[in-house]
């Protein structure tokens, strides 16, 4: 029997009144409406009224009907499982009967409602939905066909996975061939839906689509010249995804596809151009890119470069004509959430201290506030990756264009040239070097261009060449660059301030102690900026100050510098409430400053320490309440706790033994015991870093807890969480040095995992090095326990430590390995050449360590005899041979 339901007229009027009020711009009225709607949810047939207004009440205006449907959609999301059966059936049948409504807005609303019901697990409980929608596609009525297709497109987007599973008896085997038939439909809107539906199944390599892949590609090519932008956009999107998934099928047509994408990248419709531009980004990641594109570069490069100009719309959105806005406060939604990167303990290397995993900061990111991703950014990113593919072979195509752009009289063109120069910096650095002595001074001049957007992009481009600038005599480029950048930090335009601050942070990382002579001047500027900056740029300023502290280290510890820097930082610190997310960047900044100032931070440490402990305690308490009663207490933002733990690490590292009194008077170790067992990996990661730092600074307070801490450390030696595992490993090593022979009972808890990790393929370098050091340290304090395993780790142990600098950690680890070799000499025999190589990596070991090396090398030589030793050492590369002979006389 059809479910017959009639609304009560008075109820209907009340709901219509609410729907009208909720369209009011007044937020107070909106809030009251929200509350009333929540109350109405208690009536079982409230949702019948909503569907009734959407589908039956044609006398009402469309926005009100659509709104009714959207409120119903939210109810479905929140309470669908509590709808009475009758209501559910009524809603479902009304949706299917009205999918062809004459109004596009109402059709779209019904489609959204259908997919929301479907994604609530109802595809299984609504077996006639898909067959019905598919049969409606064949309707003679355009509205019905379009409405059904709109709904299907939304279902394909929301439920792609379940559609391709056995749960539903594989409907795609019927749906995909059906969609392909509509690629040639006379209506552009329908063609567009058809392509969009099939596109949902490319990346997952859905079987039903793979069976028809050739027909799909053929149909795509047929649509290549479609007059409808939406269709062209979907065709481009399909080809981009097929590059990743079915390159084999595209290869035979590659020449034509590239030609087509070149045209589309210049499409009149920016959305089409943007989709097409993604093609170059994706292609550049494929190994075949270099061969496929080489003949097209002369055409492609000018197209990409042309796409890097600001469009007229961009300039309006960026307020490109507003030069001075420093006094205008920021609107809060402009401020992006920042992500705190938790502490990871790493080793210093022989090369130049550049960490491989850390280079994710200098992406092309120069105009945050426009829709984040646009043709300009995509073109620049594509040029950047292509520069990395072709290296200097790209320059013949770029240099002639650059000459024209960089000195152009129109600022928009000149600006794009500066962006091009920055985009190719990484890939074409070698080939650019001859031109830099001329270009860098030109760019430094552009820093004072009258257009703010030129000044801001110039900051970014110069930061991309900072490495080269720093490699030249400081007076030539570094000093003039720094002088001008500092002026830009105080620019009257906020975007320029932001770009200059970020560029300066990059320069600080590259220049390190080269900046020491200019410290007073730098601090002067940064401190002045404190009084000048609006909210968003303050956050970037903290980063520039923290990076400065990291870069110059203890050189910052001079009374006059501390006097300049600390008062404004502490003033901000006192102004911020505990719930304010601005604490994150400030805490990170203070952590770097504390580490750099060391004893110079003492006058400030007590309130800072106290507050950090409070933040950890508050967050843990809130988390416990939330675990016990999730509906009453919301989950805390654990970033507060992570950042606080990291600042405590910075204090422990900077103040060393001076932190002892603060630790004694607080419950930080109890709190750490909870943090180490938190389910969020970043919390554990930071608490293990702090454990290691406190172990070094004041072990007397840590020691009573070791029996509780060690089993937790053992279970966290899981390389699935790289950083957690890394910091736990490092902490175990620091603890073993302090414990000495008392470490013995804990060795079985950790040794097996450490040996497994050091033998794993593809383990990141930092983790390998810390694992090797900790194994060495355990062997140093408990050789009898660790030496029997020597043969299982000696080879990876030697190869992972040969590249790190001489330091305390390397010293204790090598003492451990020598002690273990004397306990179990046969464990090293097979891999002795690796040991020789590792020994040779020392520049100047302490005398007693050098004697240990000598003893082992000579012991081995005497044991095998001269003849065998000569045969053995003939396998050595020459530098190794010479080094061992010179240093150890073997």
């Amino acid at each position: 029997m059809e479910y017959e339901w009639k609304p009560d007229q008075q109820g209907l009027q009340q709901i219509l009144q609410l729907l009208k009020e909720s369209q009011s711009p007044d937020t107070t009225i909106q809030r009251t409406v929200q509350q009333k709607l929540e109350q109405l949810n208690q009536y079982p047939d409230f949702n019948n009224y909503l569907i009734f207004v959407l589908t039956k009440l044609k006398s009402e205006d469309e926005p009100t009907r659509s709104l009714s449907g959207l409120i119903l959609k939210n109810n479905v999301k929140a309470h669908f499982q509590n709808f009475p059966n009758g209501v559910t059936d009524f809603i479902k049948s009304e949706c299917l009967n009205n999918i062809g409504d004459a109004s596009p807005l109402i059709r779209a609303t019904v489609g959204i409602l259908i997919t929301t019901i479907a994604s609530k697990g109802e595809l299984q409980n609504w077996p006639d939905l898909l067959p019905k929608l598919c049969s409606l596609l064949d309707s003679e009525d355009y509205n019905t066909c379009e409405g059904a297709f709109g709904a299907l497109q939304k279902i394909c987007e929301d439920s792609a996975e379940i559609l391709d599973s056995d749960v539903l008896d594989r409907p795609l085997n019927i749906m995909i061939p059906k969609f392909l038939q509509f690629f040639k439909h006379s209506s552009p809107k329908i063609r567009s839906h058809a392509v969009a539906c099939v596109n949902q199944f490319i990346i997952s390599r859905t079987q039903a689509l793979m069976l028809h892949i050739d027909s799909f590609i053929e149909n795509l090519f047929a649509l290549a010249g479609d007059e409808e932008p939406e269709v062209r956009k979907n065709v481009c999107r399909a080809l981009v995804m097929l590059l990743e998934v079915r390159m084999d099928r595209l290869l035979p047509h590659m020449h034509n596809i590239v030609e087509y994408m070149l045209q589309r990248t210049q499409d009149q419709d920016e959305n089409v151009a943007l989709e097409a531009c993604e093609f170059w980004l994706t292609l550049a990641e494929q190994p075949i890119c270099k061969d496929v594109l080489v003949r097209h570069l002369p055409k492609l490069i000018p197209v990409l470069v042309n796409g890097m100009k600001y469009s007229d719309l961009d300039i309006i959105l960026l307020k490109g004509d507003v030069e001075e806005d420093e006094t205008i406060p920021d609107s809060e939604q402009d401020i992006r959430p920042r992500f705190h990167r938790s502490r990871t303990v790493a080793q210093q290397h022989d090369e130049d201290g550049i960490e491989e995993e850390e280079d994710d900061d200098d992406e092309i990111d120069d105009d945050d506030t426009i829709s984040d991703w646009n043709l300009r950014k995509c073109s620049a990113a594509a040029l950047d990756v292509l520069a990395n593919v072709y290296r200097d072979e790209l320059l013949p195509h770029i240099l002639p264009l650059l000459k024209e752009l960089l000195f152009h009289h129109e600022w928009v063109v000149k600006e794009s040239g500066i962006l091009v120069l920055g985009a190719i910096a990484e890939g074409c650095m070698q080939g650019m070097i001859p031109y830099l002595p001329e270009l860098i001074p030109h760019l430094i001049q552009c820093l004072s261009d009258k257009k703010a957007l030129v000044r801001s992009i110039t900051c970014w481009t110069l930061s991309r060449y900072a490495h080269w600038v720093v490699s030249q005599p400081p007076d030539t480029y570094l000093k003039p660059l720094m002088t001008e950048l500092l002026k830009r930090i105080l620019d009257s335009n906020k975007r320029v301030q932001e770009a200059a601050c970020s560029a300066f942070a990059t320069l600080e990382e590259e220049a390190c102690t080269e900046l020491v002579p200019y410290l007073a001047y730098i601090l002067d500027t940064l401190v002045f900026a404190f009084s000048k900056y609006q909210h968003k740029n303050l956050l970037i300023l903290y980063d520039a100050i923290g990076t400065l502290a990291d870069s110059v280290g203890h050189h910052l510890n001079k009374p006059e510098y501390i006097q300049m820097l600390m008062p404004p930082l502490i003033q901000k610190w006192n102004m911020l409430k505990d719930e304010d997310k601005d604490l994150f960047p400030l805490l990170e900044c203070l952590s770097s400053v504390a580490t750099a100032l060391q004893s110079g931070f003492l006058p400030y440490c007590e309130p800072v320490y106290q507050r950090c402990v409070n933040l950890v305690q508050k967050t843990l308490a809130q988390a416990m309440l939330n675990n016990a009663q999730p509906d009453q207490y919301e989950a805390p933002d654990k970033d507060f706790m992570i950042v606080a733990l990291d600042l405590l690490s910075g204090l422990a590292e900077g103040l060393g033994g001076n932190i002892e009194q603060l630790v004694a008077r607080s419950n930080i170790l109890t709190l750490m015991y909870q943090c180490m067992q938190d389910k969020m990996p970043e919390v554990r990661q930071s608490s293990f870093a702090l454990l290691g730092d406190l172990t070094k600074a004041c072990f007397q307070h840590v020691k009573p807890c070791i029996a509780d801490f060690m089993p937790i450390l053992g279970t966290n030696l899981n390389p699935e969480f790289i950083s957690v595992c890394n910091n736990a490993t490092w902490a175990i090593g620091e603890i073993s040095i302090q414990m000495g022979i008392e470490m013995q009972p804990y060795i079985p808890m950790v040794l097996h995992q450490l040996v497994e990790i050091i033998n794993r393929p593809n383990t990141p370098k930092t983790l390998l090095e810390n694992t090797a050091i900790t194994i060495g340290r355990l062997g140093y304090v408990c050789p009898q326990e660790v030496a029997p395993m020597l043969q299982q780790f000696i080879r990876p142990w030697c190869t992972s430590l040969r590249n790190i600098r001489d330091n305390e950690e390397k010293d204790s680890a090598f003492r451990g390995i020598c002690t273990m070799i004397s306990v179990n000499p046969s464990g090293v025999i097979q891999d002795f050449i690796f040991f020789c190589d590792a020994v040779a990596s020392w520049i100047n070991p302490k005398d007693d360590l050098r004697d240990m090396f000598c003893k082992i090398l000579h012991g081995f030589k005497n044991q095998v005899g001269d003849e065998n030793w000569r045969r053995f050492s003939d396998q050595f590369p020459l530098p190794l041979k010479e080094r061992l002979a010179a240093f150890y006389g073997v």
Side-chain angles (χ1 to χ4, degrees), residues 202-219:
I202 300 177
I203 290 294
S204 56
R205 298 181 164 78
T206 301
Q207 183 65 42
L209 174 57
M210 291 305 133
L211 288 173
H212 298 91
I213 195 77
D214 291 325
S215 134
F216 174 46
I217 291 174
E218 211 174 301
N219 277 305

Side-chain angles (χ1 to χ4, degrees), residues 638-650:
K638 288 192 178 169
D639 278 353
F640 284 104
M641 171 157 78
I642 296 166
V643 182
L645 291 166
D646 286 348
L647 176 46
L648 288 169
S649 280

Side-chain angles (χ1 to χ4, degrees), residues 47-112:
N47 292 300
N48 285 356
Y49 282 92
L50 291 174
I51 190 80
F52 183 86
V53 174
L54 173 66
T55 58
K56 287 209 174 358
L57 208 56
K58 314 264 168 152
S59 54
E60 269 309 318
D61 61 286
E62 289 179 11
T64 303
R65 290 173 57 201
S66 170
L67 187 63
S68 182
L70 293 175
I71 293 170
L72 175 55
K73 172 208 69 163
N74 291 334
N75 288 348
V76 167
K77 263 195 170 142
H79 318 289
F80 192 66
Q81 63 289 356
N82 310 331
F83 283 20
N85 279 345
V87 175
T88 306
D89 295 339
F90 182 52
I91 293 173
K92 286 178 177 177
S93 71
E94 279 303 298
C95 282
L96 285 176
N97 293 336
N98 290 277
I99 192 71
D101 192 283
S103 148
L105 179 63
I106 302 298
R107 289 202 298 272
T109 311
V110 172
I112 290 173

Side-chain angles (χ1 to χ4, degrees), residues 470-486:
V470 171
S471 70
Q472 305 298 305
D475 285 350
T476 331
Y477 307 106
L478 178 60
K479 205 170 160 190
L481 171 57
M482 194 182 59
T483 314
E484 286 305 310
L485 262 185
L486 288 171

Side-chain angles (χ1 to χ4, degrees), residues 389-499:
V389 170
Y390 288 102
R391 301 279 162 190
D392 298 342
E393 295 167 38
L394 206 61
L395 289 177
H397 304 287
I398 289 231
L399 289 170
L401 297 172
L402 264 179
K403 281 202 185 70
E404 229 169 285
L405 300 173
L406 285 172
F407 300 95
H408 202 280
H409 59 280
E410 277 179 61
W411 75 265
V412 179
V413 180
K414 174 164 141 183
E415 194 277 345
S416 71
I418 298 170
L419 174 58
V420 169
L421 191 55
I424 61 171
E426 198 187 346
C428 305
M429 181 57 86
Q430 275 322 101
M432 285 306 295
I433 287 176
Y435 305 98
L436 293 180
E438 185 189 343
L439 284 174
I440 298 294
H442 174 63
L443 287 172
I444 292 175
Q445 258 181 321
C446 294
L447 281 176
S448 39
D449 193 275
K450 61 179 192 303
K451 293 304 287 187
L453 289 171
V454 174
R455 300 197 297 277
S456 60
I457 196 63
T458 306
C459 291
W460 178 75
T461 291
L462 278 163
S463 75
R464 301 266 290 178
Y465 290 96
H467 188 73
W468 181 82
V469 167
V470 171
S471 70
Q472 305 298 305
D475 285 350
T476 331
Y477 307 106
L478 178 60
K479 205 170 160 190
L481 171 57
M482 194 182 59
T483 314
E484 286 305 310
L485 262 185
L486 288 171
K487 286 185 198 158
R488 292 293 65 84
I489 286 178
L490 303 179
D491 200 276
S492 56
N493 178 279
K494 291 193 287 192
R495 169 170 277 100
V496 179
Q497 295 171 357
E498 177 184 1

